[in-house]
Amino acid sequence: MSLLLKRRSRSETRPKEIPEKAKQPETEMETKSDRQLERAQHNARQPHPHASEQNLNKLGLVSGGGSMGRRKTSAELISEAKMFLGEASGAMPLMATGGARLVSTRRPITPRESGRVLYGKVALAGRPPSAFSMRYLQNEKPSTPRQLPALSGSGPATPMPPRNGALLCQSSTETLIELLKQHRGLKDCSDETVQHVNAILQELYTRVRKQERSFKRGFILGGLYGLVECSSPRVLLAVARVVLALRVTGSNLTGACKLIFKVARHEQHDALFHEHDVLELLIDGLGHASPLDDPEACIYAYGCIRFLTASSAQDRDDALNRNWIGLEGSGASNPVSDPVTSPALAAISAPLCPRKLTGQQTLVSRLARHGAVELMILHLQMLNEAGATKRLQGPPLHTLYQLSAAMRALADVSQQQQRLQLQLQLACPHLIRAAEVSMGELEVQANVVRTLSVLSEDSECCDTLHNYAARIGLLLGPSCAGGQCSERLLAVLSRLGYMLGNILAKHESARIQYFQNDVAMEYLLNVLEQLNDRSPTSLALLDAQIKLIRVVANMSVNPEVGAGLGNVRSLGSVLLQLLSTTSSELEKKKSSEQQELLHATLGALHNLCFYQDKQAAIQPLAKGSLQSLIDELSASLANVLGTCKTSATKVELARVLGNLTRNERARRCFCGSGGLSLMVQQLTKQAAGQDYELRTCAIGVLVNLLGDGEQRGPFLQLRGAELLSLLLRGSLEQEDWFLANIVCQALWNLLIDGQCAANLCQNGNILDEVSDLLADYLDEERIPTGDNDSDYDNDDPDDPEDNRDEEEEKGTETDTEAHDALWEDFALVATDLLERIQNNFDRQQQSQAPVPHTDNEDDNDVFIEEM
């Protein structure tokens, strides 16, 4: 075999470029359709016929589909190869370097109130009523009533002008006020009356905005007094506009805010806020108020902003789960197949957004331009400073509740508002401080944390929050103090975990900062232990566990942190108990929440096991640490794998085992629990199945297991050599060089054992078949050389169709080069394997005596470094 005398270098296996002078002039005469047809034929290479079904029947294996599945494209093979090798920079949201993977989750669902209410079911001491009755507007400074001057040009009995807009402009302000007083106590009214009163109020507002100072505020407010009980929302907003235009403070400002709140609490009135500048006037009025001195005005004003900017759609949280890749059909998650920002999710989100979202964004844009967020930040600072010296309670605390809720509503619809996003980014540190100030007030803290969790989905806000990762972790402290976990406390824990998981998924420095903060780590472990001791019956409990386990998973992506977490007390026992409990619950009843918790636990174990490949150091191991429970974990994984029926869960289990079985003690315990036969069983079922990921991960585990000499004999007894031969044939026929590569690594580890190699040589059929396959597919004539795109260089550069063709050609060239690179990696391993097989045959022919045990070359074992 001349093929064994050399290894193909990268330059030898690349398609050779034709020199410029060698171009054929006939290419100029080719039509575009001919060129496109030729390229299509190149890109659509047909797979070679194979005998997978016959081999399955020969081995007695059950074929799921009668074939190895459809042949994957080059792009799919390259993407999958990089995915498993941890080299895909484009998959950064879900794949980190070093073989550790980031874990994604869905946004916590916020229960929506049936209607627009100020507090709903929240029980805050001393809260103002959601329903109220406004009886009067009063002077800011009490003063004795004064005699109104006589109307100019007439006596008191002079008849009022008719209902005519032109005459209203000509009337004096005193006349307008008297006209309004005629409607004192107005409640139900006709459309004509509403139009007339509204016209008077509009004219009065115009004059007030022109800084007309001929009358005191009390005189104008006295005319507005009798209209506050009117049932017309249009009249109420017109009254509020005039009051706010007077730049009132104190109780009058509170009264105006109540009027606007009264209208905003009904969704059908939202269109009225688009007709005039009442929101801008409201912000101007709040600018003269203090959340400490005028808390009631702030409460109703921020409640109004929350109503107008928050969505009424119950499914909005599902549409905004930007960080979640769910398995709608199978009820499990597959956090590797798609990036975080899945195009499919974006397509789903668009139709789920409510139709009034454009109107909401208009209101939000107006508020942002008028400085609403800056004012909120200022009020937040004032509340934080007050809370730093004295515990907030009463109306100021209620103001913080409504303010944070309004800010959350703004954050929910800020994705396309760059200005608003930048403003909200500045609010992040103040919200963290507000969460610290409101400790002990669970309802208020839950609202603040909910706002932060929404902001953590934005990359710019997350860049700000990552500097406070440890401080956010300290918020878990009060949760450890009490023995009971209420629904509200679980909601706080869930959102804290969700926020921390988002931060740790994006920032390396945040992972190190959090891990090095002993207090934050202690709080996290205490909360995990407390939640683990409770019966997993509540959905809120499961959601909190999912989010907090994700914190551990994303933190352990860092090599230093991942290695350190392996010897942290109780963490291993918590994960092991979760693995056992969730798998048992899923056997009884399938639940999407239990499935997600199991996958989050496996994600954390996957990352932690990656750093436990070597034997534990001499230093004492912490009680309940992962390193101290390697034996129990290996046995538990084998047990779960044997009972699991979900394909996605099997993939996650195989990934964990791919990292864990690099540890010698773990391999021994896993195989002692029947792990080797389980892996062979899984590969037997998937040999011709459609689940590519499970097949690939299982082969990777098998590579590691065959690194131990004592497992090679049992593997042969399980007919493992025939299985590997079948897998190799199927991968080569599909030109899946990555899968063929790891199958060759498994065969290499198997043939290192001299006794196993001798037994296989005596049998002859299997190694003969493998040798023929490798020699055939290592033949350079079978490797596609690709089309030479230089034939198309004479196309018109100004033709837009040619430009598109050039872009397609460039993409094809890149794809072909990457595909060839995978083949080169396969060729290096396959050439060595073919040489070893030939050497074993030569050795067998030279001597019929058994190969001495000293010929074993276990030092040359190959292990899968990353899974």
Side-chain angles (χ1 to χ4, degrees):
M1 293 183 182
S2 61
L3 193 62
L4 299 178
L5 302 180
K6 65 175 181 178
R7 293 183 180 179
R8 289 172 176 78
S9 65
R10 295 188 182 273
S11 59
E12 290 174 333
T13 54
R14 298 282 184 187
K16 298 181 180 179
E17 297 184 1
I18 301 177
E20 191 73 21
K21 296 181 180 179
K23 296 179 181 178
Q24 298 296 329
E26 289 81 1
T27 58
E28 299 179 1
M29 305 301 296
E30 290 181 342
T31 63
K32 295 179 181 177
S33 59
D34 293 336
R35 294 196 299 270
Q36 292 173 353
L37 178 61
E38 184 178 352
R39 285 194 294 271
Q41 292 173 347
H42 164 67
N43 293 332
R45 293 187 295 268
Q46 298 297 324
H48 299 284
H50 55 81
S52 298
E53 186 174 359
Q54 297 176 3
N55 289 331
L56 280 172
N57 296 331
K58 186 185 301 183
L59 290 173
L61 305 178
V62 180
S63 172
S67 67
M68 293 292 292
R70 74 172 181 87
R71 175 181 175 272
K72 294 182 179 290
T73 64
S74 300
E76 290 174 328
L77 293 172
I78 295 159
S79 175
E80 288 164 351
K82 290 183 177 180
M83 173 179 63
F84 285 102
L85 295 176
E87 298 173 355
S89 58
M92 183 59 194
L94 289 176
M95 177 73 74
T97 57
R101 299 182 306 121
L102 300 174
V103 175
S104 178
T105 186
R106 69 184 75 202
R107 176 199 279 193
I109 302 299
T110 302
R112 301 282 184 179
E113 298 292 341
S114 56
R116 293 183 175 183
V117 289
L118 197 60
Y119 290 95
K121 299 180 181 179
V122 176
L124 287 179
R127 75 181 197 181
S130 297
F132 54 83
S133 176
M134 293 184 57
R135 299 179 182 177
Y136 58 88
L137 292 171
Q138 62 184 6
N139 296 333
E140 296 176 12
K141 295 181 180 180
S143 59
T144 57
R146 66 186 180 90
Q147 183 68 34
L148 295 179
L151 297 178
S152 59
S154 64
T158 302
M160 296 299 174
R163 297 182 177 184
N164 189 304
L167 294 179
L168 289 177
C169 297
Q170 300 173 6
S171 302
S172 63
T173 304
E174 296 92 333
T175 303
L176 296 178
I177 297 299
E178 292 301 326
L179 284 173
L180 291 178
K181 288 183 177 180
Q182 283 187 345
H183 299 283
R184 178 177 300 175
L186 181 67
K187 292 186 178 179
D188 297 331
C189 52
S190 64
D191 292 341
E192 183 183 0
T193 303
V194 170
Q195 292 177 4
H196 175 62
V197 174
N198 200 49
I200 298 173
L201 291 170
Q202 179 61 37
E203 177 63 25
L204 187 60
Y205 169 77
T206 303
R207 298 185 183 189
V208 171
R209 291 290 284 180
K210 291 180 179 180
Q211 306 295 326
E212 184 176 330
R213 298 294 186 181
S214 57
F215 300 98
K216 291 185 178 180
R217 294 179 182 177
F219 175 66
I220 299 178
L221 292 174
L224 302 174
Y225 154 70
L227 300 175
V228 296
E229 296 292 343
C230 182
S231 60
S232 171
R234 194 178 299 275
V235 171
L236 293 180
L237 286 183
V239 171
R241 291 179 72 213
V242 177
V243 175
L244 291 173
L246 289 170
R247 296 184 177 87
V248 295
T249 57
S251 60
N252 289 318
L253 176 61
T254 302
C257 293
K258 286 182 177 181
L259 282 177
I260 300 174
F261 174 83
K262 186 176 181 179
V263 178
R265 65 186 304 177
H266 299 287
E267 190 174 354
Q268 62 267 27
H269 299 157
D270 287 0
L272 298 177
F273 290 89
H274 294 273
E275 297 177 358
H276 40 62
D277 59 348
V278 66
L279 284 181
E280 287 79 1
L281 291 169
L282 180 63
I283 298 301
D284 290 338
L286 280 180
H288 299 288
S290 165
L292 302 174
D293 300 329
D294 307 293
E296 198 170 357
C298 295
I299 289 172
Y300 287 106
Y302 287 130
C304 169
I305 293 174
R306 174 165 65 97
F307 290 162
L308 293 174
T309 56
S311 171
S312 62
Q314 295 294 319
D315 55 357
R316 180 163 176 78
D317 275 328
D318 293 333
L320 290 176
N321 274 326
R322 288 177 290 275
N323 287 359
W324 170 247
I325 298 172
L327 303 179
E328 299 295 337
S330 62
S333 69
N334 184 2
V336 172
S337 58
D338 297 298
V340 171
T341 54
S342 173
L345 183 60
I348 294 173
S349 300
L352 287 180
C353 291
R355 293 180 179 180
K356 57 175 286 184
L357 187 60
T358 302
Q360 286 175 334
Q361 289 180 341
T362 302
L363 294 178
V364 168
S365 179
R366 286 170 52 189
L367 289 169
R369 286 198 307 267
H370 210 69
V373 180
E374 288 90 339
L375 180 61
M376 289 180 175
I377 294 175
L378 177 61
H379 284 176
L380 202 56
Q381 285 180 290
M382 297 172 68
L383 291 169
N384 289 341
E385 291 174 2
T389 57
K390 183 181 178 181
R391 182 176 178 178
L392 290 180
Q393 56 184 352
L397 187 65
H398 304 159
T399 302
L400 178 58
Y401 179 89
Q402 297 297 335
L403 190 156
S404 59
M407 196 168 286
R408 179 192 184 274
L410 291 175
D412 235 355
V413 291
S414 66
Q415 299 305 311
Q416 298 177 354
Q417 305 270 352
Q418 185 176 7
R419 177 190 180 96
L420 181 58
Q421 284 183 330
L422 294 176
Q423 293 171 343
L424 291 173
Q425 184 180 355
L426 300 175
C428 292
H430 304 291
L431 285 169
I432 294 174
R433 181 57 184 154
E436 296 170 342
V437 167
S438 58
M439 280 186 177
E441 298 290 343
L442 199 55
E443 299 288 352
V444 180
Q445 188 186 37
N447 236 19
V448 177
V449 172
R450 185 179 295 127
T451 305
L452 283 168
S453 72
V454 175
L455 291 176
S456 69
E457 297 175 352
D458 179 73
S459 58
E460 286 78 13
C461 292
C462 204
D463 291 340
T464 301
L465 289 172
H466 90 275
N467 297 313
Y468 304 90
R471 278 181 62 181
I472 296 172
L474 295 177
L475 295 174
L476 296 170
S479 307
C480 308
Q484 297 182 351
C485 292
S486 63
E487 291 292 319
R488 182 60 63 185
L489 177 58
L490 291 173
V492 172
L493 294 176
S494 176
R495 284 158 179 82
L496 286 173
Y498 180 69
M499 174 173 36
L500 285 170
N502 291 342
I503 295 171
L504 298 177
K506 298 178 182 178
H507 296 280
E508 187 79 358
S509 59
R511 299 167 190 147
I512 300 175
Q513 175 197 144
Y514 195 102
F515 176 70
Q516 293 180 346
N517 191 305
D518 296 337
V519 180
M521 283 298 304
E522 188 67 19
Y523 285 161
L524 177 61
L525 292 173
N526 289 341
V527 171
L528 286 173
E529 286 181 305
Q530 288 184 10
L531 297 181
N532 224 23
D533 293 337
R534 297 173 61 87
S535 176
T537 56
S538 168
L539 295 181
L541 175 63
L542 292 175
D543 192 57
Q545 288 179 301
I546 291 168
K547 303 302 187 287
L548 293 172
I549 289 297
R550 177 180 175 236
V551 174
V552 176
N554 290 349
M555 190 194 321
S556 57
V557 166
N558 177 269
E560 176 188 347
V561 176
L565 287 174
N567 196 26
V568 170
R569 65 133 188 119
S570 304
L571 182 58
S573 58
V574 167
L575 295 174
L576 193 59
Q577 184 177 347
L578 279 175
L579 177 64
S580 175
T581 303
T582 52
S583 59
S584 300
E585 291 293 330
L586 285 172
E587 289 180 23
K588 301 175 184 176
K589 180 181 178 181
K590 289 187 177 181
S591 165
S592 59
E593 289 78 14
Q594 291 281 4
Q595 189 83 3
E596 186 180 356
L597 178 57
L598 177 59
H599 283 210
T601 304
L602 291 174
L605 287 171
H606 173 275
N607 293 351
L608 293 172
C609 290
F610 180 75
Y611 304 104
Q612 316 306 321
D613 56 326
K614 298 180 180 179
Q615 298 297 321
I618 301 177
Q619 76 264 15
L621 298 178
K623 183 179 179 180
S625 65
L626 186 66
Q627 288 186 6
S628 66
L629 297 173
I630 290 292
D631 296 357
E632 292 82 353
L633 176 61
S634 303
S636 180
L637 288 171
N639 180 57
V640 175
L641 181 63
T643 58
C644 179
K645 299 179 181 179
T646 307
S647 177
T649 305
K650 290 180 180 179
V651 173
E652 297 300 317
L653 286 166
R655 289 197 179 107
V656 177
L657 290 168
N659 284 342
L660 182 63
T661 52
R662 297 184 304 148
N663 182 292
E664 182 180 350
R665 185 157 57 97
R667 292 195 298 271
R668 185 169 58 252
C669 295
F670 178 70
C671 293
S673 302
L676 181 62
S677 59
L678 284 172
M679 298 312 301
V680 173
Q681 180 182 354
Q682 295 301 324
L683 278 174
T684 300
K685 294 178 179 179
Q686 289 299 325
Q690 302 296 324
D691 198 329
Y692 180 82
E693 292 184 47
L694 179 56
R695 185 163 66 248
T696 309
C697 292
I699 296 174
V701 176
L702 203 58
V703 171
N704 293 344
L705 296 181
L706 293 178
D708 289 341
E710 60 268 21
Q711 306 303 332
R712 295 164 189 153
F715 181 72
L716 289 180
Q717 296 176 2
L718 294 170
R719 305 182 70 180
E722 294 93 325
L723 177 61
L724 291 178
S725 175
L726 173 65
L727 291 169
L728 180 62
R729 174 179 291 278
S731 60
L732 290 176
E733 288 171 346
Q734 297 181 71
E735 296 185 7
D736 187 345
W737 309 123
F738 172 71
L739 185 60
N741 190 333
I742 56 176
V743 173
C744 287
Q745 292 182 43
L747 286 168
W748 173 275
N749 280 358
L750 180 64
L751 294 177
I752 284 177
D753 192 311
Q755 188 62 46
C756 291
N759 292 338
L760 289 175
C761 288
Q762 291 175 357
N763 187 8
N765 297 333
I766 298 175
L767 291 186
D768 284 341
E769 182 179 1
V770 170
S771 300
D772 293 341
L773 284 171
L774 294 179
D776 188 20
Y777 281 88
L778 285 174
D779 187 357
E780 287 184 351
E781 295 181 358
R782 293 183 60 97
I783 306 303
T785 58
D787 293 341
N788 192 355
D789 296 333
S790 61
D791 294 342
Y792 316 125
D793 290 346
N794 294 326
D795 292 345
D796 184 5
D798 296 330
D799 192 340
E801 293 186 5
D802 285 347
N803 293 336
R804 287 193 297 269
D805 292 342
E806 291 177 2
E807 293 177 359
E808 294 177 359
E809 292 165 11
K810 290 180 181 178
T812 303
E813 289 178 2
T814 304
D815 183 69
T816 302
E817 290 178 2
H819 189 269
D820 290 344
L822 281 178
W823 182 86
E824 290 173 3
D825 294 336
F826 157 75
L828 293 176
V829 178
T831 302
D832 287 341
L833 176 61
L834 189 57
E835 185 175 358
R836 175 172 289 277
I837 293 174
Q838 185 62 41
N839 290 338
N840 285 325
F841 272 123
D842 294 342
R843 202 177 298 171
Q844 182 70 20
Q845 293 175 358
Q846 293 175 2
S847 174
Q848 296 298 327
V851 179
H853 184 70
T854 56
D855 288 346
N856 291 351
E857 304 176 44
D858 288 349
D859 292 340
N860 294 327
D861 290 352
V862 178
F863 293 97
I864 296 294
E865 293 298 326
E866 301 169 3
M867 181 61 66

